[in-house]
Amino acid sequence: MDAGTWYRSLPRFTRYWLTATVGLSLLCRFDIIPLHWLHLDRSAVFGKLQLWRCVTSLFVFPISPSTAFHFLINCFFIVQYSSKLEKDQYGRSPSDYLYLLIVSAVLANIGGMLFSVYFLMDMYVLAITYIWCQLNKDVTVSFWFGTRFKAMYLPWVLAAFEFIFHFSLAPLVGIFNGHVYYFFKFQYSQDLGGTALLETPQFLKRLVPDISGGFGGFGVPPESRAPPRQAPENPWGRGMTLGRN
C-alpha cells in the first residue's frame, strides 16, 4: 500500500486530526508560523481573547531533536487507536465520534489551564487511547521490547514512562479526561441506571449524518452490571384467573 492509499484509508476525523497535528507542528518547526502564537496561554485566551489557542494547542507540538521521537509516538497512537475507535466503535455514527473529540478537547483545555500545560497533544492522545482501552480491556496489545499485556493497562504504562523520563503529569490528566467521558457515556447509564448525559447534539447529527448498513462491534460498550428493574407488584394481590378452580 502506497502512502496516498494508506492516508485515504484512515477514517475521516482521524485523518483530519493527524493532518492538523503534522501540518501545524512542521509549520512551527520551520518557523513559518511562530510557535508562541499557537500554544495554550491562559492570560492570552482570557485577557486578549486569542481563542484560537484553545484549538491550535491540541495539535501543535514543539518538534526538536530531543522531542521528535516523542512526537512520532503520539502520531502512531493517533493512527493506531483513534482509527480503531472511529472505525469499530463509531463506524456507523461519525457524529458521536466527533462529539467525543469535542468533549475531550474541552477537558484537555480545562486541564491545560489548571496545570499550566502549553501543548495539549499528550493528554488529548491519551484520553482517546484510554477510551479505546476501556472498551477493549481484554485485548492483548504489544509494547516496547516485545512486552504484551491487556489493553486496560496500556494508559498507565504510558503515563509511568512519561513521568519517569519527562516528569510530566499531563498523561494522568489525559487518563482522567478519558475516564470522565467513559464514565458519563457508558458506566453512569449502564451500571448505575442513570440517564445518558453525553448524548450527541442534534445539530452534529444533522451535520454528520449516521451511516446505515455495515456493522461494528470490535469495541462495544461494557455490559451493564446494574440490577434489572423489577415490575412493581400489585398492592391488591395477585388475584385469581377466571375459569380456574
Side-chain angles (χ1 to χ4, degrees):
M1 182 183 297
D2 60 67
T5 303
W6 168 81
Y7 177 76
R8 289 189 295 271
S9 70
L10 295 174
R12 183 196 322 185
F13 295 113
T14 298
R15 187 169 66 248
Y16 295 164
W17 183 4
L18 182 66
T19 302
T21 297
V22 174
L24 278 179
S25 300
L26 289 179
L27 287 174
C28 292
R29 175 69 181 92
F30 295 109
D31 295 324
I32 298 174
I33 299 178
L35 187 62
H36 65 269
W37 285 4
L38 305 182
H39 68 73
L40 188 65
D41 185 332
R42 185 170 54 233
S43 61
V45 171
F46 293 110
K48 301 178 181 179
L49 292 181
Q50 296 179 358
L51 302 181
W52 68 82
R53 293 178 180 271
C54 295
V55 177
T56 56
S57 59
L58 295 164
F59 306 113
V60 70
F61 190 84
I63 301 176
S64 68
S66 61
T67 64
F69 182 72
H70 185 88
F71 173 74
L72 292 176
I73 290 295
N74 273 337
C75 290
F76 170 79
F77 275 88
I78 292 173
V79 172
Q80 183 79 354
Y81 296 108
S82 176
S83 289
K84 289 181 178 180
L85 193 59
E86 184 175 355
K87 285 192 298 186
D88 301 324
Q89 178 62 39
Y90 296 94
R92 286 183 292 179
S93 186
S95 59
D96 288 348
Y97 190 67
L98 176 59
Y99 190 53
L100 183 159
L101 293 176
I102 292 173
V103 171
S104 299
V106 171
L107 293 174
N109 272 275
I110 294 173
M113 291 181 183
L114 288 176
F115 295 99
S116 299
V117 179
Y118 298 135
F119 304 100
L120 305 180
M121 185 180 184
D122 283 349
M123 64 175 70
Y124 199 32
V125 169
L126 201 50
I128 303 304
T129 302
Y130 177 87
I131 294 168
W132 181 88
C133 290
Q134 288 300 304
L135 294 173
N136 299 273
K137 290 182 178 181
D138 294 324
V139 174
T140 301
V141 296
S142 298
F143 198 60
W144 293 347
F145 312 116
T147 55
R148 295 168 63 84
F149 44 81
K150 289 185 177 181
M152 61 187 295
Y153 302 116
L154 178 61
W156 302 103
V157 172
L158 294 171
F161 269 81
E162 187 67 13
F163 180 76
I164 292 170
F165 291 110
H166 300 103
F167 298 102
S168 173
L169 296 178
L172 290 177
V173 180
I175 289 175
F176 175 80
N177 293 345
H179 187 72
V180 168
Y181 176 88
Y182 178 77
F183 177 81
F184 286 109
K185 180 64 176 179
F186 299 117
Q187 285 186 317
Y188 181 69
S189 59
Q190 296 187 14
D191 294 351
L192 303 179
T195 56
L197 298 178
L198 286 178
E199 290 298 317
T200 305
Q202 286 302 311
F203 79 91
L204 285 181
K205 289 285 188 181
R206 292 191 293 269
L207 181 65
V208 189
D210 290 348
I211 299 172
S212 59
F215 67 93
F218 183 81
V220 295
E223 294 182 0
S224 174
R225 292 188 293 273
R229 296 181 178 179
Q230 301 286 341
E233 293 187 359
N234 190 332
W236 302 105
R238 296 179 60 186
M240 297 183 64
T241 305
L242 293 177
R244 290 187 178 181
N245 294 330

